[in-house]
Amino acid sequence: MKISAVIPAYNSATFIRAAIESIQAQTSKVDEIIVVDDGSTDNTEQVLKTFAHTVIYHKQANQGPSAARNKGIELASGDWIAFLDADDQWTVDKTTKQIQALQTNPELHLIAGDMTEIDNDDQLLTQSVLAKHKMLDYFQQLAGKPIPNALAALVKKNFIPTGTVLVKRQTLLEAGMFNTEIRYGEDLELWAKIATFHAVTCLPDILMLRRQHGNNATQASEGMLIDLTKAAESIRNFASPQLIAQGVSPNSLVAEAQWTLGYWYFSGGNNAKAREAFKKSLSQDFTLNNLLYLIFSILPASLINALRVIKQKFAKS
């Protein structure tokens, strides 16, 4: 097998050297490293000149990380693709462990893994993200075998960090690669497409050091939550039979995403937009919770505030 590592980079001069060196240090060597510079305005290009003979460099106008990853996939000559963001690092035996898993379970099309979170000074923030989400025990028991009902598990909680993924290039191409119309949740949509038709797994091993800082901290926002509704609708469109077979209601999946968006608007006092989202949620899945929040969003702001005060008093008593 031939592995191509793809790094999307945008103003990544500070950390990209460490990212590349972590790939070069692998105990099982990666065959090529492709850096797609997504319109950087800092000295990312100058840093990469020091890797001129070992890294394939491509610069394009800024289009976002999905477009950059897609370009890297197009440029790759490997039959397997691995991803790494420019501010993160692989652990030294990352590819070795994934190759071993593939040798044991050759039906796998995608192998991901656990990750540690660090800060800008390389200080530990979270030892195991799988443990943080109470999923580590399950994947330890699975021990690299294909995940049963992986699609249902993914839409419940995305356990696949992009920077840990090793995936067949042909499978990525058949799945349509990353959806550039979705900025948040595009990874979940792609992994769900692959898991719908192919065997995937997640190793209970730390394969990556994920850097958490202001530029990549995941905070709920309007754009993010809207994109997650798009991802949910897309997954429903291509995987409804498989979702149903795995015990997931496709309409409930979309309804939950719309409800989450509505609740974000409602909490921020934007009742008009909250109503629209709650109506969409209710149209997909009629539940008492959906109905109650639609009613709440219709109430006058003064009454809603009074109800919140009463709720807080009861919570303290």
Side-chain angles (χ1 to χ4, degrees):
M1 62 186 295
K2 181 177 180 180
I3 299 175
S4 300
V6 173
I7 303 177
Y10 176 72
N11 290 347
S12 305
T14 303
F15 299 115
I16 195 166
R17 180 179 300 278
I20 293 172
E21 289 175 348
S22 78
I23 298 176
Q24 293 176 330
Q26 291 295 297
T27 52
S28 293
K29 299 302 181 184
V30 169
D31 297 278
E32 65 181 5
I33 301 172
I34 301 167
V35 176
V36 179
D37 186 341
D38 194 43
S40 294
T41 56
D42 67 352
N43 62 332
T44 294
E45 185 172 359
Q46 284 67 41
V47 173
L48 286 165
K49 284 181 179 178
T50 62
F51 296 98
H53 300 295
T54 55
V55 171
I56 298 169
Y57 176 74
H58 174 83
K59 189 164 187 177
Q60 62 186 27
N62 182 261
Q63 301 169 56
S66 289
R69 291 191 186 100
N70 287 347
K71 186 63 180 180
I73 296 165
E74 292 172 7
L75 293 171
S77 61
D79 52 340
W80 286 82
I81 304 293
F83 299 104
L84 182 64
D85 284 352
D87 48 0
D88 300 332
Q89 301 169 44
W90 285 349
T91 53
V92 68
D93 55 355
K94 186 255 189 194
T95 53
T96 295
K97 288 180 176 177
Q98 290 177 306
I99 291 169
Q100 290 171 346
L102 186 60
Q103 289 171 341
T104 305
N105 302 281
E107 68 271 34
L108 290 168
H109 283 239
L110 182 152
I111 306 107
D114 199 359
M115 65 179 179
T116 289
E117 292 177 330
I118 59 175
D119 65 14
N120 283 348
D121 299 316
D122 293 340
Q123 297 301 304
L124 178 69
L125 296 175
T126 307
Q127 176 58 44
S128 164
V129 170
L130 286 179
K132 176 182 177 181
H133 294 294
K134 297 179 172 55
M135 302 177 76
L136 182 59
D137 287 348
Y138 173 73
F139 288 115
Q140 285 175 336
Q141 293 169 16
L142 201 61
K145 294 191 290 291
I147 300 167
N149 295 329
L151 177 61
L154 266 171
V155 298
K156 181 179 180 182
K157 175 64 183 177
N158 185 2
F159 51 81
I160 299 180
T162 300
T164 70
V165 165
L166 179 67
V167 58
K168 282 187 176 181
R169 181 175 183 271
Q170 187 59 36
T171 302
L172 287 170
L173 295 175
E174 290 172 359
M177 301 191 289
F178 291 94
N179 187 342
T180 58
E181 299 301 314
I182 301 176
R183 175 63 181 84
Y184 300 99
E186 81 291 349
D187 54 343
L188 171 61
E189 185 205 40
L190 180 55
W191 311 148
K193 281 182 179 178
I194 293 171
T196 298
F197 302 106
H198 302 291
V200 305
T201 198
C202 182
L203 304 179
D205 303 288
I206 303 298
L207 303 185
M208 180 179 71
L209 306 180
R210 167 72 166 162
R211 197 177 302 279
Q212 293 286 14
H213 50 70
N215 291 336
N216 67 5
T218 303
Q219 301 292 334
S221 67
E222 181 179 18
M224 176 187 296
L225 295 175
I226 289 173
D227 274 358
L228 289 175
T229 66
K230 294 178 183 178
E233 289 170 357
S234 175
I235 294 169
R236 178 179 63 179
N237 289 343
F238 65 71
S240 279
Q242 292 84 358
L243 286 167
I244 292 168
Q246 295 180 26
V248 177
S249 165
N251 288 345
S252 294
L253 179 68
V254 175
E256 184 177 347
Q258 289 288 355
W259 184 91
T260 302
L261 174 62
Y263 186 78
W264 186 85
Y265 284 133
F266 183 70
S267 299
N270 191 336
N271 284 9
K273 286 192 173 181
R275 279 194 297 275
E276 291 306 309
F278 288 141
K279 284 179 183 177
K280 289 179 181 178
S281 180
L282 195 62
S283 70
Q284 299 299 325
D285 186 23
F286 188 93
T287 67
L288 181 60
N289 190 55
N290 288 346
L291 180 60
L292 284 175
Y293 272 92
L294 176 58
I295 293 171
F296 290 155
S297 68
I298 297 172
L299 296 175
S302 57
L303 181 54
I304 293 172
N305 290 333
L307 290 171
R308 283 175 174 157
V309 170
I310 293 171
K311 181 181 177 181
Q312 290 171 356
K313 286 181 179 179
F314 273 108
K316 292 177 181 178
S317 60

